[in-house]
Amino acid sequence: MLEISNIDTYYGKAQALWDVSLSVDEGEIVALVGSNGAGKTTLLKTLSGVLRPASGTVTFLGQRIDGLAPHSIVEMGISHIPEGRRLFTQMSVGENLEMGAYVHAAWKRREETLDQVHEIFPVLKERQGQLASTLSGGEQQMVAMGRGLMSRPRLCLFDEPSYGLAPMLVTEIFRVIQDLRNQGMTVLLVEQNVRQSLEIADRACVLENGRIALAGECEALLEEELVKKAYLGL
Amino acid sequence: MPGLFLIVLLLLAALPVYRPGYKVILVSSILMYVILTVSWVIFSGTTGYLSLAPAAFFGVGMYTAAVLGMALPLPVVVVLGGLASSCLAFLVGAVTLRLRGIYFAIFTFGLVEFIKNLLLWWEIERTGTRGRFVVLVDNNTIYYVMLAILVMTVLTAYFIRRSRYGLALQSIGEDEEAAVHAGINVTALKIVTFAISAVFMGAAGAIWATQLTYIDPYIAFNLNYSFMPVLMAIFGGIGQPYGPILGAAVVAYLREILITEFPYQYMLLLGIILLVAILFLPNGLVGLVERARRRAFGGQRANT
């Protein structure tokens, strides 16, 4: 479904990604782990069109998407749920969700999508008219994810969805991601929470200093010495 | 609120009948400032990009009237003034709206000075003139044209605010990167909105020029026309749609009074009033009105 081949991405003159290749198949959860500054967010931003790769290609459903504008990529069915939630805090929860459905095709079906989002996160229905800034951290994360789903994506790029949440909420968020996959969503998941993401993911890859250090099935990775030492603290 | 707007509009439309003369000129100038302020808020009030370009768009409208006023009928001149400003805004927007925050403000500030000096150079080097005469139009016509532009400005602001584009503009102001992720083509939306807001400034400039009868680059591209809308919007408060209208009307009226009563100290007095307002009315006049309203209705109305 998503094919990333030999991507190099720069911030100005500083190279952040080196020759990154990765593929995500339909209906899979692929976890992307690695320490701070390894290039995880950079990779997601390259996929969603916020950054452009200097070389290499990205194809989605058989079409080249590197070089497309971010809004066109959203329209094609990729939703990037950014790190740190980034809600529109002076808008209501309902308005935040509405903005998620901004692209044309999604706008026409926004009522229907909204019902689906409310089914996943019932609390958002109760909070509908409340300002986003008045919600708790967990609820804010739900708004961020709900807003991302409002564009009716086929592939979700989640950037640190569990960041800063209490353990119980983390489990809840991971459960939601699993449910989404069970309903046919494809997920690329960036996480600091390595153990839990490897548990729900099918495959994973480890980024180090902008390069793919390891990639493979999750069970196999959990046995790798490097992963055990660096990320699981064993 | 629309009902109140309609009543005010009817009163304004009747003004030249029962109060001809000076009052009509005075209210024309107030309407002009309301147009500048409301159209400024359409773009800058929502996106948070501080534009200091109103004087450029207003001035382009004025010069359009000066150049074409003899050759074409008045409505055409006014429309062309708006379109010329809009084209300029589109070009400027396409070049600069990738700049963030303060850089955009400085660029738009520079734009006014640039056009002023370009015209000065042109008039000295090429045409050998200084300034131009503008075809004369009677005061009542100016007044009604201004009122028509005002109605269109307010309606446009209202419909943009109520549409999904209004919400999208607001989301750009709150978190532009999140707006990008939501699938909003932020660059296109900013450029188009900037161009729309300039239409009304240019049209107002075109009709305003006919009242001055003579303009030169210093008159047309006076930076006061850039600063006043900003001050008026802040004075009125941009939290509610009527804030900029109220702010512009009050400050413009105050300005006229001060100019006639204290011609030498008026800038000083106006400055003091605005300072006091910003210190004590953080949400502008809107804050005052809303507080009074909440008190009157027993605080049941949530401030959204």
Side-chain angles (χ1 to χ4, degrees):
Chain A
M1 181 180 227
L2 181 74
E3 197 72 46
I4 306 163
S5 336
N6 313 100
I7 288 285
D8 290 309
T9 301
Y10 292 76
Y11 282 108
K13 281 187 176 166
Q15 190 163 2
L17 291 179
W18 310 72
D19 195 30
V20 171
S21 297
L22 173 71
S23 71
V24 182
D25 293 330
E26 182 140 25
E28 255 192 328
I29 298 180
V30 174
L32 194 58
V33 299
S35 57
N36 277 334
K40 305 182 302 276
T41 299
T42 309
L43 180 55
L44 292 197
K45 283 185 175 172
T46 309
L47 299 179
S48 59
V50 175
L51 295 172
R52 286 187 182 187
S55 59
T57 60
V58 183
T59 40
F60 178 65
L61 298 169
Q63 262 183 293
R64 280 279 293 268
I65 61 164
D66 50 289
L68 288 185
H71 63 95
S72 311
I73 293 177
V74 175
E75 225 150 334
M76 289 183 69
I78 299 182
S79 187
H80 180 166
I81 293 88
E83 191 178 5
R85 321 196 229 288
R86 310 199 75 134
L87 298 185
F88 306 124
T89 50
Q90 294 309 303
M91 293 187 194
S92 69
V93 169
E95 287 170 332
N96 267 275
L97 295 178
E98 205 172 296
M99 277 296 96
Y102 186 83
V103 295
H104 213 74
W107 186 257
K108 278 188 264 170
R109 300 175 66 182
R110 66 186 187 283
E111 314 256 313
E112 178 194 336
T113 324
L114 188 64
D115 286 339
Q116 291 164 0
V117 168
H118 282 159
E119 222 166 278
I120 302 170
F121 304 111
V123 68
L124 296 189
K125 194 167 185 177
E126 296 161 31
R127 299 272 186 265
Q128 187 91 277
Q130 232 169 290
L131 282 189
S133 57
T134 62
L135 302 189
S136 70
E139 290 166 344
Q140 290 194 4
Q141 183 58 46
M142 292 176 196
V143 178
M145 291 174 77
R147 186 178 63 188
L149 293 172
M150 287 298 289
S151 65
R152 306 186 65 84
R154 298 181 61 179
L155 169 67
C156 277
L157 315 174
F158 288 113
D159 197 349
E160 307 270 4
S162 77
Y163 182 76
L165 298 183
M168 238 176 67
L169 284 167
V170 174
T171 310
E172 169 73 9
I173 295 291
F174 276 95
R175 189 190 56 74
V176 168
I177 293 173
Q178 239 174 334
D179 283 354
L180 283 173
R181 190 267 300 273
N182 293 342
Q183 287 161 28
M185 183 73 76
T186 310
V187 175
L188 183 56
L189 174 66
V190 161
E191 261 298 337
Q192 300 262 0
N193 197 327
V194 176
R195 181 180 293 275
Q196 251 168 320
S197 31
L198 290 190
E199 270 165 19
I200 66 162
D202 302 296
R203 291 185 300 123
C205 78
V206 180
L207 263 181
E208 270 188 352
N209 299 321
R211 293 183 175 83
I212 302 259
L214 271 176
E217 306 285 325
C218 289
E219 291 91 21
L221 281 181
L222 281 166
E223 294 305 313
E224 281 280 347
E225 276 312 307
L226 175 86
V227 176
K228 276 187 179 169
K229 262 201 198 126
Y231 303 106
L232 301 175
L234 296 174
Chain B
M1 199 46 83
L4 185 65
F5 183 67
L6 212 64
I7 293 169
V8 173
L9 205 62
L10 284 174
L11 288 176
L12 283 173
L15 178 82
V17 181
Y18 61 87
R19 279 283 171 80
Y22 168 69
K23 275 274 154 39
V24 171
I25 299 172
L26 168 69
V27 179
S28 293
S29 85
I30 294 176
L31 295 181
M32 182 269 283
Y33 278 113
V34 175
I35 294 168
L36 287 184
T37 307
V38 173
S39 47
W40 180 83
V41 170
I42 289 177
F43 176 75
S44 293
T46 49
T47 61
Y49 279 77
L50 178 68
S51 161
L52 292 176
F57 304 139
F58 192 63
V60 165
M62 281 196 186
Y63 257 81
T64 307
V67 174
L68 302 174
M70 302 285 183
L72 296 167
L74 186 66
V76 179
V77 171
V78 172
V79 170
L80 286 178
L83 289 180
S85 293
S86 186
C87 290
L88 176 66
F90 191 87
L91 285 177
V92 170
V95 177
T96 62
L97 278 171
R98 286 158 216 276
L99 301 175
R100 293 277 165 108
I102 190 76
Y103 299 103
F104 176 74
I106 291 169
F107 188 94
T108 52
F109 179 86
L111 178 73
V112 179
E113 289 295 308
F114 171 74
I115 298 178
K116 183 204 290 175
N117 285 295
L118 187 72
L119 270 174
L120 276 173
W121 173 82
W122 182 265
E123 290 190 343
I124 292 165
E125 293 288 322
R126 298 292 144 132
T127 56
T129 56
R130 169 70 191 281
R132 285 163 175 277
F133 287 102
V134 187
V135 70
L136 207 62
V137 175
D138 79 283
N139 288 331
N140 283 359
T141 310
I142 294 175
Y143 178 83
Y144 282 117
V145 171
M146 206 62 103
L147 192 59
I149 299 170
L150 176 104
V151 170
M152 281 189 270
T153 314
V154 171
L155 284 179
T156 306
Y158 178 76
F159 283 116
I160 289 180
R161 198 182 170 103
R162 298 250 334 223
S163 71
R164 75 182 175 126
Y165 301 108
L167 209 53
L169 287 167
Q170 198 189 331
S171 70
I172 291 174
E174 287 203 26
D175 189 332
E176 188 160 347
E177 195 176 324
V180 168
H181 286 310
I184 297 166
N185 186 349
V186 293
T187 310
L189 188 61
K190 282 186 291 186
I191 295 170
V192 169
T193 311
F194 194 50
I196 289 174
S197 80
V199 170
F200 306 110
M201 299 178 185
I207 189 66
W208 187 245
T210 63
Q211 196 195 37
L212 299 178
T213 65
Y214 166 85
I215 61 164
D216 68 20
Y218 289 105
I219 297 171
F221 295 90
N222 184 338
L223 272 165
N224 267 337
Y225 296 123
S226 284
F227 296 130
M228 286 315 258
V230 185
L231 288 172
M232 289 167 170
I234 294 171
F235 187 80
I238 52 177
Q240 297 282 336
Y242 65 84
I245 303 178
L246 196 63
V250 171
V251 176
Y253 184 65
L254 218 72
R255 190 172 165 274
E256 282 292 329
I257 302 278
L258 291 175
I259 284 180
T260 41
E261 300 288 323
F262 310 98
Y264 301 109
Q265 303 92 355
Y266 103 89
M267 267 302 217
L268 186 69
L269 291 171
L270 192 64
I272 291 171
I273 292 172
L274 290 171
L275 257 177
V276 170
I278 284 168
L279 280 176
F280 294 102
L281 297 174
N283 297 318
L285 292 176
V286 162
L288 263 188
V289 175
E290 293 295 309
R291 216 184 306 157
R293 199 148 84 167
R294 237 169 295 148
R295 209 167 289 159
F297 290 105
Q300 286 164 357
R301 202 176 262 267
N303 194 1
T304 49

